[in-house]
Amino acid sequence: MAAPAVDTRPGAAAVPLWRTGLSDHVAALAIAPGRGMVAAGSLGGDAVVLDAADGTPVARLAEHPLGVLSLAWSPGGRRLATGGQDGRVSLWDRIDGAFGSIDLPGWVVALAWSPDGALLAAAGGRDVAVVRSDGTIVARYGGHPSTVSSLDWEPGGGRLAVAAYGGVRWYDPRRDLAAPVQEYAWKGSILTVAVSPDGRWLASGNQDSTSKVWAIPTGEDLEMTGYPAKVERLAWDDRGDNLAVASSEIVMVWRCGGPGPEGTRPHLLEAHTDRITDLRFQQSGSLLATVGRDGLLAVWNLAKRRRPHRALAVGEPLSSAGWVAGDSLVVGTAAGEVLRLGIGGGGPAPRR
């Protein structure tokens, strides 16, 4: 199907380039490096790999009977990890089709590959397992004070940040230590963490309607307030200059280049009328995509912040999103559909 002409007014009807269906709400979506393939998983338990060009199935993966919760491609795009409510992590190799799996004592809500693709970290309940790409366990970190909510690696791949109630704990799988090598203590519930691509900052989104930024490695922290609800979604641009924070139906973008966000005011992005469920920066350029329960896909040019660069109404609540090209995204819906949408004229925007 040819790409439709795009109306730049907020709410222009979206015409998908292709669409395919899963059995239930699309709970996880991941784009392979190189953007050739899309992985999607549903709360019905099915997980598929699709050709990003036309949406045709490449592989149907092992199901998670109680629902898929997380997906992660390795940096080279060769291996895919899936995690589910059944407490299982499944590994799939796109080259030889081999499968492997490990079991954890709780829902697998977070997966993160190390930057070199050698290790996968998986969080299930209060435990974290670090495994090689073949599923061999390298380290296990247990006894966290609550369910582990989020994981991320430093860009160099040495240390792993693990978020739970009470702060962030850093582990180093290269060292034979069960205890963290550093802790960022904080009396609160952290919902998500993300390390900046330049390795300077660790950002968190929190249950108490705040976000925090810690300086790496000193652990000095800044707290940002004023959000209307808990902060569940964060995204860094590819250089670590901008941190986008979603709370309810708004996005605040903080400038973290130079000396950092202290003493600055965020740029407020407003277009959604219901909770934002995902936000993603382009791999390069300054376009940010947001999707929400209102069925709106909004694409923002951070050099022109007052209105969305593009806004498309899908007509059903959206759950997830990922860039497959400078002018195209794949989105998942609460009704179980995966769609590729062209935004038209949306190549990489010039930086400020």
Side-chain angles (χ1 to χ4, degrees):
M1 182 182 300
V6 178
D7 187 337
T8 59
R9 294 173 302 174
V15 179
L17 305 176
W18 54 256
R19 68 196 310 155
T20 190
L22 300 185
S23 65
D24 204 338
H25 178 110
V26 179
L29 188 70
I31 312 300
R35 301 180 177 87
M37 293 188 294
V38 177
S42 84
L43 292 182
D46 52 332
V48 298
V49 176
L50 307 170
D51 188 316
D54 57 14
T56 57
V58 174
R60 295 194 180 277
L61 308 181
E63 292 196 359
H64 294 271
L66 301 177
V68 178
L69 297 178
S70 51
L71 295 168
W73 288 98
S74 63
R78 173 169 177 169
R79 294 180 175 86
L80 175 69
T82 69
Q85 290 190 35
D86 55 1
R88 174 156 293 187
V89 178
S90 294
L91 297 165
W92 175 72
D93 189 303
R94 63 178 280 193
I95 305 300
D96 57 24
F99 284 89
S101 66
I102 61 169
D103 292 314
L104 291 170
W107 294 7
V108 182
V109 298
L111 297 166
W113 289 92
S114 61
D116 62 2
L119 299 174
L120 170 73
R126 299 188 180 198
D127 283 12
V128 172
V130 178
V131 302
R132 296 189 181 93
S133 57
D134 62 0
T136 304
I137 295 177
V138 174
R140 282 193 99 129
Y141 307 117
H144 293 93
S146 71
T147 297
V148 173
S149 58
S150 189
L151 304 164
D152 204 5
W153 294 84
E154 283 186 308
R159 300 192 307 169
L160 173 70
V162 175
Y165 184 86
V168 178
R169 294 157 183 83
W170 290 92
Y171 296 92
D172 189 344
R174 299 170 302 180
R175 301 168 63 182
D176 187 19
L177 297 172
V181 294
Q182 188 176 12
E183 295 188 45
Y184 296 167
W186 181 66
K187 293 183 178 179
S189 180
I190 297 176
L191 304 179
T192 185
V193 292
V195 179
S196 63
D198 60 5
R200 294 182 62 202
W201 310 104
L202 173 73
S204 75
N206 308 319
Q207 179 72 37
D208 68 350
S209 305
T210 67
S211 64
K212 291 180 75 71
V213 173
W214 281 273
I216 299 174
T218 66
E220 295 180 7
D221 67 281
L222 303 170
E223 183 171 288
M224 289 88 95
T225 62
Y227 303 105
K230 61 186 177 181
V231 176
E232 300 178 275
R233 299 285 181 180
L234 304 169
W236 289 100
D237 71 5
D238 67 316
R239 297 196 305 191
D241 288 342
N242 293 292
L243 172 66
V245 180
S247 175
S248 189
E249 72 279 3
I250 69 166
V251 176
M252 293 186 186
V253 180
W254 298 87
R255 285 286 294 172
C256 294
E262 185 173 13
T264 67
R265 294 175 61 86
H267 294 278
L268 184 64
L269 307 181
E270 294 180 288
H272 291 275
T273 59
D274 204 340
R275 182 171 65 88
I276 294 169
T277 52
D278 204 359
L279 71 168
R280 303 280 175 171
F281 275 101
Q282 286 176 306
Q283 188 174 17
S284 61
S286 59
L287 295 185
L288 170 70
T290 60
V291 296
R293 292 177 57 183
D294 54 3
L296 184 70
L297 163 65
V299 178
W300 307 85
N301 183 337
L302 296 188
K304 302 175 182 178
R305 294 185 176 87
R306 293 186 180 276
R307 295 181 58 193
H309 177 67
R310 292 289 187 272
L312 299 175
V314 177
E316 55 189 273
L318 301 177
S319 58
S320 48
W323 289 91
V324 291
D327 61 353
S328 183
L329 293 106
V330 172
V331 299
T333 79
E337 288 197 302
V338 181
L339 306 89
R340 180 170 176 175
L341 301 173
I343 61 172
R351 294 187 183 277
R352 293 190 302 159

